[in-house]
């Protein structure tokens, strides 16, 4: 992905090229997380009522969980990969960077690390660990089973994962 996008942005200003890694990371998250959790997409994940009683497995809950994780992972990478290019573009024009170009990599690593310290917990907390889904959004087989219960819940709960 990065190599293809690099070829596409060669004619653009250098600042645009600095965003290629973010695009590659976002694309990788969109592919890797669903692949790694593909078993959940096919078999479902455990769903529970508000009291923690297991009601079955749902592929719709798995899709919701995986979507939440993909979004939070992309947002987690955003500050550390979108803000440093602007800072580095500004610093590259300074005389000290021209005298000491070896500072480029350490400064970038420090900037990314700084942003990750804050972005990681914030983005992990974007969606609750124990997520919920309306019973009406579940696949028909599990929905009918739940609706047949006495005091059928309107929402089911599941662990979204990280």
């Amino acid at each position: 992905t990065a190599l293809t996008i690099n070829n596409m942005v060669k004619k653009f200003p250098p600042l645009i090229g600095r965003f290629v890694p973010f695009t590659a990371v976002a694309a990788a998250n969109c592919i890797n997380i669903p692949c790694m959790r593909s078993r959940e997409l096919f078999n479902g994940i455990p769903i529970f009522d508000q009291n923690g009683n297991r009601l079955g497995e749902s592929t719709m809950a798995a899709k919701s969980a995986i979507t939440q994780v993909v979004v939070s992972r992309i947002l987690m990478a955003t500050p550390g990969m979108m803000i440093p290019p602007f800072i580095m573009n500004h610093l590259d024009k300074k005389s000290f960077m021209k005298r000491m170009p070896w500072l480029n990599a350490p400064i970038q690593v420090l900037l990314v690390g700084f942003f990750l310290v804050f972005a990681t917990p914030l983005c992990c907390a974007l969606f609750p660990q124990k997520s919920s889904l309306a019973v009406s959004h579940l696949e028909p087989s599990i929905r009918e089973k739940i609706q047949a219960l006495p005091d059928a819940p309107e929402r089911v709960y599941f662990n979204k994962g990280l």
Side-chain angles (χ1 to χ4, degrees):
T1 303
L3 293 175
T4 302
I5 296 170
N6 265 333
N7 284 331
M8 292 169 53
V9 301
K10 280 184 180 176
K11 295 177 181 153
F12 292 104
L15 180 62
I16 301 299
R18 292 181 187 257
F19 295 109
V20 170
F22 172 73
T23 308
V25 166
N29 277 320
C30 291
I31 295 167
N32 291 342
I33 295 169
C35 284
M36 294 302 293
R37 295 181 66 177
S38 63
R39 197 179 100 243
E40 296 174 16
L41 290 169
F42 291 115
N43 301 328
I45 58 174
I47 55 173
F48 304 89
D49 65 12
Q50 63 272 16
N51 299 321
N53 300 314
R54 189 174 177 150
L55 301 173
E57 287 82 29
S58 170
T59 57
M60 294 303 289
K63 288 176 189 175
S64 176
I66 292 169
T67 301
Q68 290 175 29
V69 170
V70 168
V71 168
S72 67
R73 292 276 183 94
I74 291 171
L75 291 174
M76 194 181 301
T78 300
M81 297 189 88
M82 295 297 277
I83 297 171
F86 290 108
I87 295 170
M88 293 309 297
N89 200 48
H90 177 73
L91 290 178
D92 282 345
K93 297 172 187 168
K94 302 291 183 188
S95 61
F96 79 93
M97 286 298 283
K98 290 177 181 165
R99 282 193 323 271
M100 298 177 280
W102 57 269
L103 281 176
N104 194 305
I107 291 172
Q108 285 189 54
V109 169
L110 287 171
L111 286 170
V112 171
F114 173 77
F115 287 114
L116 280 176
V117 164
F118 298 101
T120 301
L122 178 68
C123 291
C124 282
L126 279 177
F127 301 102
Q129 189 64 40
K130 186 178 177 182
S131 293
S132 68
L133 192 64
V135 172
S136 61
H137 290 111
L138 296 174
E139 52 272 29
S141 59
I142 191 75
R143 182 182 337 124
E144 291 166 4
K145 178 184 167 191
I146 292 171
Q147 289 172 337
L149 294 171
D151 296 324
E154 291 182 25
R155 298 195 76 74
V156 293
Y157 300 88
F158 56 92
N159 183 346
K160 75 166 172 69
L162 294 175

